[in-house]
Amino acid sequence: WASIERLLAPRAIAFDEALLVAIVGLVVNLGSAWLLRGHPAEHSHPHDHALRAAYLHVLADALTSLLAILALTAGKLFDWGFLDPVMGLVGGALILRWSWGLLRDTAWILLDGRADAALMEQIRRRLEGLGAVTVRDLHLWRLSARHLGLIVSVDVDGPGDRDQIHEVLRDLPGLTHVTIEM
């Protein structure tokens, strides 16, 4: 919004001071991105959305600082003051694009949406592979980056063994909250 206002009503720009602030911002954000880039063995799971959001945030800030440096330099050298608010709009558009991607990737987690369809089918096959089990209803959802919840309703023909059902699911990674209704 500020960029649009500045395009419609240009103001004087203190180029030297603004360049200094943009350069400091770029250095700080690149340093932060380097710290957040992470090593899977040392930091979070590769699908840790909070870490990814922080990383994308500082990358977006670094890009915005770089765009500001380019615009301020061109503005100072060629008297193109309009580039500063134009780069603000470009930076805003890039941040919006990255934010949309992050929101799209995390929405199902935030809304307790369904997890991986292939894993759901694997669970169904394992349970029905026990022979006397028929899966009636199965809900699998992501609780966090590393944890899945499962509620499954089964019909058991013959003697049903809840422990046997749990055992066929035990080695599935991330399946940490399991409820079986027989």
Side-chain angles (χ1 to χ4, degrees):
W1 181 252
S3 293
I4 292 171
E5 286 179 341
R6 291 186 61 207
L7 275 173
L8 297 174
R11 296 182 225 158
I13 300 172
F15 289 107
D16 293 332
E17 292 85 352
L19 272 167
L20 179 63
V21 170
I23 290 168
V24 169
L26 178 62
V27 169
V28 168
N29 284 302
L30 288 176
S32 297
W34 183 79
L35 290 172
L36 288 172
R37 79 193 188 309
H39 304 286
E42 298 171 17
H43 289 292
S44 289
H45 190 270
H47 299 295
D48 185 333
H49 296 294
L51 180 63
R52 180 172 165 232
Y55 181 70
L56 287 176
H57 181 96
V58 296
L59 279 182
D61 283 351
L63 179 61
T64 310
S65 294
L66 182 61
L67 291 173
I69 290 167
L70 294 172
L72 290 165
T73 300
K76 181 178 177 177
L77 294 176
F78 305 114
D79 196 28
W80 291 350
F82 69 90
L83 281 181
D84 185 43
V86 167
M87 289 304 156
L89 291 171
V90 170
L94 289 171
I95 291 169
L96 184 61
R97 169 66 179 102
W98 286 344
S99 298
W100 178 254
L102 183 63
L103 180 60
R104 184 189 61 237
D105 293 346
T106 59
W108 279 110
I109 294 171
L110 296 172
L111 299 172
D112 289 336
R114 291 194 329 172
D116 182 359
L119 181 57
M120 288 178 67
E121 186 55 35
Q122 182 181 9
I123 291 168
R124 182 179 301 278
R125 278 194 316 267
R126 283 185 180 199
L127 292 174
E128 291 183 345
L130 292 173
V133 175
T134 302
V135 175
R136 292 291 174 207
D137 195 20
L138 189 151
H139 297 279
L140 179 70
W141 70 99
R142 189 159 296 285
L143 300 171
S144 71
R146 297 181 187 154
H147 299 279
L148 296 169
L150 171 67
I151 297 176
V152 62
S153 177
V154 296
D155 285 343
V156 180
D157 296 328
D161 185 356
R162 193 176 305 262
D163 292 335
Q164 183 184 19
I165 291 173
H166 275 282
E167 188 59 36
V168 299
L169 302 175
R170 192 169 315 279
D171 67 324
L172 293 174
L175 199 56
T176 58
H177 185 80
V178 177
T179 302
I180 297 172
E181 179 182 290
M182 297 177 77

